[in-house]
Amino acid sequence: MSVSSTPTSNDACLSIVHSLMCHRQGGESESFSKRAIESLVKKLKEKKDELDSLITAVTTNGAHPSKCVTIQRTLDGRLQVAGRKGFPHVIYARLWRWPDLHKNELKHVKYCQFAFDLKCDSVCVNPYHYERVASPGIDLSGLTLGAGPSAGLLVKEEFEGQPSHSGSDGSHSSHNIQTIQHQPAPSLQAPPTSARPALSDSFSSPALLPPPDAASSASSSAFPSIAPGPATAAGPWPRTTFPHSLQHQNGHLQHHPPQYWPVHNELVFQPPISTHPAPDYWCSIAYFEMDVQVGETFKVPSSCPVVTVDGYVDPSGGDRFCLGQLSNVHRTEAIERARLHIGKGVQLECKGEGDVWVRCLSDHAVFVQSYYLDREAGRAPGDAVHKIYPSAYIKVFDLRQCHRQMQQQAATAQAAAAAQAAAVAGNIPGPGSVGGIAPAISLSAAAGIGVDDLRRLCILRMSFVKGWGPDYPRQSIKETPCWIEIHLHRALQLLDEVLHTMPIADPQPLD
């Protein structure tokens, strides 16, 4: 077989694998992809017509009709490759078509006779026998009505090194970081009600976006100094409607629309939080590979409310931070591969006095740690990772909410420290009160809130291409190949004011 020719089922397995490897999309490592393709080719070697169908489908990108390509269904429906398990049709669809595919986004075409959902003894893994269906609204696939208050929109890694413990240990899963996904919002010209997908009776379906004229007037009146975002042929950039707050009530999961537009309208009438002039730079961005900072910290002037962070190599200017130009002598092959997929990256936009919105311009999702999004999703601060899909435009930081939170935490910490000191000294007021170490221990958690804890409220973290948390092989953002940390200067300025206004109690000698 010549190098340029397409192999057939009569060729050696090695030649077929080499040809199919050339068409992979790069979402998985080369070693994993090779193992997955080798496994499939060996299974199909005795079914030459199906192997030829696979070769035709993959090498022509689905341009020619192809038959079902089947393998035996396993007991749990999952296929193990290189020690990791995943649904077989998802593995190969990710390999050759959609590297960021979520397992609940596939729908088989009508003529597929052995689709995974049909639960036949054989499963079709032809990637061109499936279509990707990304819901324009909330993805309800990961919701469980009886899962307790921590239920969210979960995005699981398709390949798991060990079985999930969520079914056997609810307390364990409820305290784990999990991933909440944010898809692009539908266009402002919403389809008629009859054309929208029906929701279960358990879910309300309020109007998620204001009318186009209301949206434009709210935006222009609230932020007159911000130029409107770029428009595409299909219309203006979609404004996000995520996340929705999730609450349990009478056994039903209730959806509450986000309060973005009312907040915008209120900003017109609200005075600035602080009379101090805005800082010269509204944020600073540090780039990391694993746990090592690469390059200098990039400061964004307040005169540039929109900054782009991308993977290209143009010398960074005031409104563009190019990660591709940064060198690192300790860079690994995995980091290099991930950097190739940053592409157009993200846009960070500062609105009003200091709210921050993110627009994902990359072809791959980005993952964000945001206390604001945690709160909007009904989660504890730092309890979730948020997956923001390509083209999504979403608010990730609210300055007023952050200011209220830092005031509350600082006041709580001070009150707890005072009460702790009183407990140790035996001076707790009230009947039956006693002094000593036991009451003091119960107050130590709140008293232990420090400047670093408050400073975290003013920081956003964002990884490119690869996520982290129990839903992924990486448990910390410091294990992801490329990520950024964004320090918000107006919020840090407000934190400084809060700390200055807190009275400092004189230490009292203990008898």
Side-chain angles (χ1 to χ4, degrees):
M1 184 190 74
S2 66
V3 176
S4 59
S5 65
T6 301
T8 69
S9 57
N10 294 319
D11 288 303
C13 288
L14 187 62
S15 300
I16 299 172
V17 170
H18 175 75
S19 177
L20 296 177
M21 279 286 289
C22 294
H23 294 271
R24 65 190 184 95
Q25 295 301 304
E28 290 294 338
S29 67
E30 183 176 352
S31 60
F32 178 87
S33 301
K34 188 174 182 180
R35 292 278 294 275
I37 294 173
E38 285 176 343
S39 172
L40 181 57
V41 171
K42 287 178 181 178
K43 287 183 173 72
L44 297 175
K45 200 58 178 166
E46 300 303 319
K47 298 187 283 187
K48 293 185 179 298
D49 58 335
E50 294 189 19
L51 182 53
D52 281 328
S53 287
L54 175 69
I55 295 170
T56 299
V58 172
T59 58
T60 65
N61 296 324
H64 300 294
S66 53
K67 300 178 182 178
C68 285
V69 178
T70 60
I71 61 173
Q72 186 71 28
R73 179 186 287 270
T74 60
L75 290 177
D76 66 353
R78 296 188 298 170
L79 178 68
Q80 181 162 319
V81 178
R84 292 154 57 182
K85 280 194 170 185
F87 294 111
H89 63 311
V90 175
I91 291 177
Y92 295 105
R94 289 182 67 172
L95 196 64
W96 284 308
R97 293 194 72 182
W98 305 288
D100 60 344
L101 180 72
H102 178 231
K103 65 185 177 184
N104 293 317
E105 293 177 343
L106 283 183
K107 177 183 178 182
H108 65 270
V109 296
K110 292 182 179 179
Y111 52 82
C112 183
Q113 299 177 349
F114 298 95
F116 181 84
D117 294 340
L118 299 180
K119 301 189 184 302
C120 302
D121 291 338
S122 296
V123 178
C124 178
V125 295
N126 186 334
Y128 292 92
H129 276 206
Y130 294 89
E131 297 173 344
R132 187 174 189 178
V133 182
S135 169
I138 288 185
D139 178 4
L140 305 177
S141 59
L143 293 179
T144 305
L145 294 180
S150 63
L153 305 177
L154 310 184
V155 181
K156 285 287 188 180
E157 186 80 355
E158 301 305 337
F159 313 108
E160 300 167 323
Q162 56 188 9
S164 171
H165 299 288
S166 57
S168 59
D169 188 359
S171 61
H172 175 79
S173 63
S174 65
H175 291 87
N176 271 351
I177 295 178
Q178 292 174 339
T179 313
I180 299 174
Q181 60 179 327
H182 305 273
Q183 305 235 11
S187 63
L188 294 178
Q189 288 74 24
T193 305
S194 59
R196 296 176 187 170
L199 294 176
S200 165
D201 291 339
S202 301
F203 300 93
S204 59
S205 55
L208 299 182
L209 289 174
D213 54 344
S216 59
S217 63
S219 176
S220 59
S221 60
F223 311 108
S225 61
I226 305 294
T232 64
W237 280 94
R239 294 184 181 274
T240 185
T241 61
F242 296 98
H244 278 229
S245 176
L246 303 176
Q247 295 182 359
H248 288 262
Q249 186 175 5
N250 299 327
H252 295 292
L253 200 60
Q254 304 292 329
H255 288 256
H256 300 280
Q259 301 301 313
Y260 296 157
W261 292 110
V263 168
H264 286 184
N265 292 334
E266 288 171 10
L267 287 176
V268 180
F269 309 104
Q270 290 179 341
I273 301 174
S274 169
T275 56
H276 279 88
D280 294 335
Y281 300 93
W282 71 265
C283 78
S284 56
I285 307 171
Y287 169 63
F288 293 83
E289 293 177 357
M290 307 295 280
D291 59 350
V292 177
Q293 181 175 347
V294 178
E296 300 293 327
T297 299
F298 183 79
K299 293 185 177 182
V300 185
S302 295
S303 58
C304 297
V306 179
V307 61
T308 302
V309 183
D310 60 38
Y312 301 127
V313 296
D314 191 64
S316 301
D319 62 348
R320 186 176 171 199
F321 185 20
C322 294
L323 306 180
Q325 63 162 330
L326 301 176
S327 59
N328 177 12
V329 294
H330 302 294
R331 183 171 295 152
T332 64
E333 183 182 351
I335 295 173
E336 193 64 68
R337 283 199 305 269
R339 279 167 53 85
L340 290 174
H341 293 289
I342 295 174
K344 295 180 181 178
V346 296
Q347 271 188 351
L348 304 173
E349 185 172 359
C350 181
K351 291 190 172 187
E353 193 176 349
D355 295 349
V356 179
W357 291 64
V358 166
R359 177 180 287 127
C360 181
L361 303 177
S362 173
D363 292 334
H364 297 267
V366 295
F367 299 80
V368 178
Q369 185 179 67
S370 161
Y371 288 174
Y372 170 76
L373 289 180
D374 292 344
R375 180 171 178 143
E376 291 294 299
R379 303 294 289 271
D383 191 40
V385 179
H386 300 266
K387 183 176 183 179
I388 301 180
Y389 281 84
S391 299
Y393 179 47
I394 186 167
K395 185 177 183 179
V396 294
F397 181 79
D398 185 285
L399 185 67
R400 291 182 181 274
Q401 184 204 81
C402 177
H403 186 237
R404 288 193 299 269
Q405 197 168 350
M406 63 177 65
Q407 285 179 316
Q408 292 167 359
Q409 288 196 16
T412 300
Q414 187 189 39
Q420 186 181 32
V424 173
N427 296 330
I428 295 182
S433 62
V434 293
I437 195 65
I441 290 176
S442 65
L443 298 166
S444 62
I449 297 175
V451 174
D452 286 342
D453 299 286
L454 296 172
R455 191 171 56 86
R456 289 190 193 101
L457 300 174
C458 312
I459 296 173
L460 296 169
R461 285 177 163 184
M462 180 184 308
S463 69
F464 296 94
V465 186
K466 299 293 185 180
W468 78 95
D471 295 338
Y472 295 90
R474 299 157 293 276
Q475 299 305 302
S476 162
I477 193 171
K478 294 183 178 181
E479 296 174 36
T480 62
C482 41
W483 58 282
I484 55 176
E485 185 171 84
I486 305 151
H487 290 240
L488 303 173
H489 292 191
R490 183 61 165 174
L492 289 167
Q493 188 183 53
L494 293 178
L495 174 59
D496 188 64
E497 289 185 23
V498 169
L499 295 175
H500 271 94
T501 58
M502 298 298 295
I504 301 176
D506 295 328
Q508 299 295 326
L510 298 178
D511 295 332

